[in-house]
Amino acid sequence: MESMLTALGPRLEALLGDGRVITDPVRLRTYECDGLTTHRSTPGIVVLPDTAEQIAAIVRECAAAGVPYVARGSGTGLSGGALPRADGVLIVTSRMRRILEIDVPGQRAVVEPGVINLDVTRAVRPYGYYFAPDPSSQQICSVGGNVAENSGGAHCLKYGFTAHHVLACEVVTPDGELVELPADGPGYDLLGVFVGAEGTLGITTKITVRLTRVPQTVQTLLAAFDSIEAGGTAVSAIIGAGVVPAAIEMMDALAIEAAEAAVHCAYPPGAGSVLIVELDGPDAEVAAQFTEVERLCRDAGAFEIRIAADDAERALIWKGRKSAFAAVGRISPAYLVQDGVIPRTVLPDVLASIDALSAESGVRVANVFHAGDGNLHPLVLFDDAEPGAEERAEAVSGAILDLCIQHGGSITGEHGVGVDKSRYMPRMFTDTDLDTMQMVRCGFDPAGLCNPGKVFPTPRLCGEVPGKRKGPHPYEGKADIF
């Protein structure tokens, strides 16, 4: 495989020109991980294309040489989904940052995959629109990465995930062909299969996104509770009352401590948890719902409620929540972030169980989550200089995912499976389920070169008969293949 990469380098340089192919070992290390730094691998070659045609040509070269490849956007993913291959090519789309079209009457925009999420909103805001998916990393994450992971964000409770805002994608298939995947074409919903496939079915080169009209009114409330269980009770009461806020976000005491140290958000002192509730829509509807939400929070035990009077106060309320992941670095040398999902009705029970896991193991856990749709983001803290600390953190992290599954939930809501959670897939799915998924993947990528080693615990060979294996996988231990 090393000789294949050596031979491939000059061909890629001929395609892209000087400075667009990186082989220097020091520069390659820039790309050795995504936002989940516990998984690292230095890529064999990095390429920096400017156009869809260049990506298609790169993929054709890789396919001809039998070399695996991985697409990467801004590198903010949190599951190792863009982890490169030491024996492969990393295709970085960050130079493809053009907004190609803004169609206000059609309420859509066409963008390249490297366009930053928030830049779409900045471009269309003067017309009274915005791009609804808003991951916490929206100031730096790319739309192409959002498509790969089907990213959500704080406002996904009301507005849904990236999949609900993608109307079409131009895609480079694993054989190097440029094709269009529309949302409303006849036949199978191939776009629905592609969005959220974590880059295992091809590389998106152009995305048509849905634009959402800016709401007439936005109201934001912050409620402080003595405990995280009380905050969870408030969430269940709000949703049970038939109110669907734009966002309901929660942080526990440890996450609040980190946010205060990092961005001085001035949340109520002594809070065991804070709940951020945002409502938007017509004036009369928001006013009625806001009164109800405030009452339900007080009934659940809120000892302080703050209401944002303007955009500046709203930004300050959100500042602590949006900075939470990075802020944890102020209180811990290292951490693992998880992404489990549970039914809202069991939120208090699961949070209590996480507290018990933390106390029993001695491993601190800071909880930050999209409370409205039960999407937990437990941050498991550890000191990577302490022997055995990372292993203990991994054990607690896995136990939290097991809790999610036991309560009828999922191992991921928006971060994806990547390499980090692939070993948990058999806990959620049967062998038959996994075989069926992998056969879909084989339909797109029969050679298994497109982002291999992600999502599934063991890659299945295309053409292999589905069913439980009675021996080792034929390619097990052969790193030059997968």
Side-chain angles (χ1 to χ4, degrees), residues 113-138:
V115 170
I116 300 303
N117 175 291
L118 192 57
D119 285 349
V120 181
T121 291
R122 288 173 175 150
V124 302
R125 194 76 184 217
Y127 305 104
Y129 288 88
Y130 71 108
F131 184 48
D134 61 339
S136 295
S137 57
Q138 68 177 147

Side-chain angles (χ1 to χ4, degrees), residues 1-11 45 65 67 87:
M1 186 59 72
E2 185 176 345
S3 63
M4 290 181 183
L5 281 176
T6 302
L8 189 58
R11 297 204 296 275
I45 297 176
V67 171
D87 57 353

Side-chain angles (χ1 to χ4, degrees), residues 21 46 61 114 139 144 149 161 199 257 296 339 390 415 438:
V21 178
V46 170
E61 290 287 353
Q139 296 188 45
E149 302 299 330
F161 292 77
E257 177 188 339
L296 291 170
D339 176 41
E390 184 172 350
H415 293 175
Q438 295 212 57

Side-chain angles (χ1 to χ4, degrees), residues 167-443:
L167 300 174
C169 281
E170 179 188 79
V171 171
V172 174
T173 65
D175 60 2
E177 182 184 0
L178 265 173
V179 300
E180 183 82 8
L181 301 180
D184 54 359
Y188 294 117
D189 180 13
L190 297 180
L191 181 64
V193 174
F194 186 85
V195 176
E198 304 191 29
T200 62
L201 306 181
I203 302 173
T204 184
T205 52
K206 188 164 61 179
I207 306 120
T208 302
V209 300
R210 185 192 311 277
L211 302 178
T212 302
R213 188 176 292 278
V214 173
Q216 184 179 23
T217 299
V218 179
Q219 283 272 29
T220 306
L221 167 153
L222 182 143
F225 299 88
D226 290 325
S227 69
I228 196 165
E229 290 80 11
T233 299
V235 172
S236 295
I238 291 168
I239 301 298
V243 178
V244 182
I248 307 183
E249 298 289 300
M250 188 182 290
M251 300 168 63
D252 70 2
L254 199 52
I256 295 168
E257 177 188 339
E260 291 291 353
V263 298
H264 311 294
C265 49
Y267 288 164
S273 69
V274 294
L275 190 65
I276 300 171
V277 183
E278 188 159 279
L279 298 167
D280 65 14
D283 290 338
E285 177 184 296
V286 170
Q289 290 184 341
F290 204 78
T291 300
E292 179 74 353
V293 167
E294 187 176 0
R295 180 187 67 78
L296 291 170
C297 285
R298 293 194 187 282
D299 288 349
F303 65 81
E304 183 175 338
I305 291 179
R306 298 177 184 176
I307 299 172
D310 51 33
D311 287 345
E313 290 189 8
R314 181 176 302 111
L316 185 60
I317 286 176
W318 278 108
K319 189 176 183 180
R321 169 60 187 92
K322 289 285 188 178
S323 68
F325 284 8
V328 169
R330 294 296 188 101
I331 62 171
S332 177
Y335 66 90
L336 302 173
V337 57
Q338 277 302 352
D339 176 41
V341 182
I342 56 172
R344 288 186 295 261
T345 52
V346 299
L347 191 59
D349 293 338
V350 172
L351 292 174
S353 295
I354 292 174
D355 280 347
L357 274 173
S358 176
E360 183 181 331
S361 64
V363 176
R364 296 186 299 166
V365 179
N367 287 289
V368 180
F369 48 96
H370 307 315
D373 56 359
N375 190 184
L376 308 180
H377 294 314
L379 300 154
V380 183
L381 314 184
F382 67 98
D383 183 350
D384 51 358
E386 179 186 334
E390 184 172 350
E391 289 75 16
R392 291 193 296 274
E394 285 278 7
V396 170
S397 181
I400 291 172
L401 292 182
D402 284 338
L403 274 174
C404 293
I405 295 169
Q406 289 161 16
H407 285 83
S410 168
I411 61 173
T412 181
E414 58 179 348
H415 293 175
V417 176
V419 295
D420 187 54
K421 300 188 188 74
S422 61
R423 64 191 183 277
Y424 297 105
M425 288 287 277
R427 303 188 190 183
M428 275 196 69
F429 300 105
T430 66
D431 288 341
T432 301
D433 293 332
L434 294 172
D435 283 334
T436 301
M437 293 182 204
Q438 295 212 57
M439 289 179 74
V440 171
R441 179 175 182 170
C442 286

